[in-house]
Amino acid sequence: MERTPAAYPQQTQVWRADHDEVKRQTFSEQDVKKLKGKEIRVGDAYTRIAYGAFKNITKVKRIVLSENIAYIGDEAFRGCTMLNTINLPAKLRRIGKGAFYNCCRLKTIIIPPTVKRIEPKTFKQCRGMKAISLHDQIEAIGDSAFLECESLEEIRIPEQCREIGFRSFCYCDSLKSACFPEGLLRIGREAFYRSGLTSLKLNEQLEVLEEGAFLRCLGLREITIPKSVKQIDKWAFHGCDNLRRAVFEGDPEILGSGIFNRLDTTVVCKKGSWVDRYCRENGFTVENQSDVS
């Protein structure tokens, strides 16, 4: 027997109702256009900020978000070049990719404990940002998350973070120190390329330094590679022209080409180790110790 249309579940209608509800609760570009002034308030009726909602709104200086906001879409505030103040609600669960890209006058921001990831390019080119508070429940820092944050002076990587992404802190000229959690396993490709680091204390569980991880960090003078490190890819510390001494506590299994500058850096390692052989075969200055502690 042929079924009548009424016999089928009306899934499309249910989805449509949910879709409309989400749309009503989303603060969009059209909502922004209705408002004028240097301060914009997003009311309690909204739970989401749409993709690119405030993109390139260059006049706004202050944005007040309702405590009901749980989601900020990709590039939501990108190019808000005059924005200097914004509150992130306690219920916020996600900040989208590139959400604050090129908010160059934003000086500080506090990430709520409900946000678990810093997505790629979230704060890229926030050149005025001097400080950011990252809570310990953040699990990942995405590619280029803080690229060209030229005023950022220090960073504390969250305890739950296991990997720092590609170019996360690249071109952070004022970044003098970085604090790494014990559980960090990998520092990504060019993660701190041309940053202003003057001191570096790598954690005792770190395993991998990817290609160019600290390439051209001119402020570094001495580093210690922990026993846990198993792999150092090419150019990890190349171009660190003032790096005079690199001490290996262990003996990494994989060593890429041109890890250090040949003429500038003395490598301290155990005699007869793989590092010792690598350095002598590649023309590095070597200082041996029977057991580097």
Side-chain angles (χ1 to χ4, degrees):
M1 183 177 68
E2 184 179 356
R3 296 177 66 183
T4 63
Y8 291 93
Q10 298 183 15
Q11 294 178 346
T12 302
Q13 292 182 13
V14 173
W15 177 87
R16 181 63 184 175
D18 292 343
H19 175 72
D20 287 346
E21 181 63 22
V22 170
K23 188 175 181 180
R24 282 194 295 270
Q25 294 177 358
T26 300
F27 195 85
S28 67
E29 183 180 358
Q30 287 68 36
D31 295 306
V32 175
K33 289 178 179 179
K34 297 175 185 177
L35 303 174
K36 295 181 179 180
K38 296 179 180 179
E39 177 177 305
I40 293 180
R41 293 178 175 268
V42 178
D44 292 341
Y46 299 99
T47 61
R48 303 164 67 92
I49 304 296
Y51 169 90
F54 289 82
K55 189 173 181 178
N56 296 328
I57 304 297
T58 57
K59 292 183 179 181
V60 65
K61 291 186 175 182
R62 185 169 187 258
I63 297 174
V64 181
L65 300 179
S66 162
E67 285 300 314
N68 292 330
I69 297 295
Y71 178 94
I72 292 175
D74 295 351
E75 301 187 10
F77 306 101
R78 179 174 179 173
C80 291
T81 54
M82 295 298 291
L83 180 66
N84 57 47
T85 304
I86 186 170
N87 65 302
L88 296 184
K91 294 180 181 179
L92 187 65
R93 296 172 59 189
R94 183 179 186 271
I95 303 172
K97 298 176 183 178
F100 294 95
Y101 191 148
N102 195 27
C103 291
C104 53
R105 284 177 173 77
L106 194 62
K107 293 184 178 180
T108 185
I109 198 164
I110 298 174
I111 308 297
T114 44
V115 174
K116 302 302 182 185
R117 297 177 59 86
I118 303 299
E119 300 290 347
K121 301 180 182 179
T122 300
F123 298 100
K124 181 178 178 180
Q125 294 181 358
C126 288
R127 293 188 170 93
M129 182 174 289
K130 292 186 175 182
I132 185 164
S133 177
L134 301 177
H135 61 82
D136 281 336
Q137 301 309 309
I138 290 174
E139 299 170 355
I141 296 176
D143 296 350
S144 302
F146 297 93
L147 187 147
E148 296 182 38
C149 288
E150 298 171 353
S151 300
L152 189 65
E153 296 176 351
E154 61 180 358
I155 190 70
R156 178 178 172 274
I157 306 300
E159 287 295 326
Q160 297 299 317
C161 190
R162 297 294 174 261
E163 180 174 347
I164 300 175
F166 168 63
R167 288 199 162 192
S168 293
F169 298 94
C170 176
Y171 296 115
C172 290
D173 298 344
S174 300
L175 186 64
K176 303 303 181 186
S177 65
C179 182
F180 302 111
E182 281 304 307
L184 185 70
L185 299 177
R186 179 182 295 264
I187 297 177
R189 183 162 58 98
E190 299 182 6
F192 291 89
Y193 173 44
R194 290 191 65 175
S195 72
L197 291 173
T198 56
S199 63
L200 183 63
K201 181 174 173 52
L202 299 174
N203 59 296
E204 297 296 328
Q205 294 182 36
L206 184 67
E207 296 181 356
V208 178
L209 292 172
E210 291 190 0
E211 178 183 328
F214 296 94
L215 181 66
R216 299 194 68 185
C217 289
L218 300 179
L220 290 178
R221 296 185 176 276
E222 183 170 342
I223 59 167
T224 298
I225 309 295
K227 290 181 180 179
S228 59
V229 174
K230 301 175 182 178
Q231 175 178 333
I232 304 177
D233 292 337
K234 67 179 181 178
W235 308 334
F237 294 93
H238 194 77
C240 297
D241 295 348
N242 295 302
L243 183 62
R244 296 292 176 258
R245 188 175 173 88
V247 179
F248 280 81
E249 295 183 332
D251 196 21
E253 302 167 4
I254 300 174
L255 296 169
S257 61
I259 293 173
F260 308 106
N261 288 4
R262 285 189 180 89
L263 300 179
D264 298 321
T265 306
T266 297
V267 178
V268 182
C269 62
K270 188 175 180 179
K271 187 174 182 178
S273 65
W274 171 240
V275 175
D276 186 28
R277 179 181 171 184
Y278 166 89
C279 289
R280 295 185 188 281
E281 288 182 354
N282 288 278
F284 289 98
T285 302
V286 183
E287 178 183 320
N288 285 143
Q289 291 182 202
S290 57
D291 187 13
V292 180
S293 59

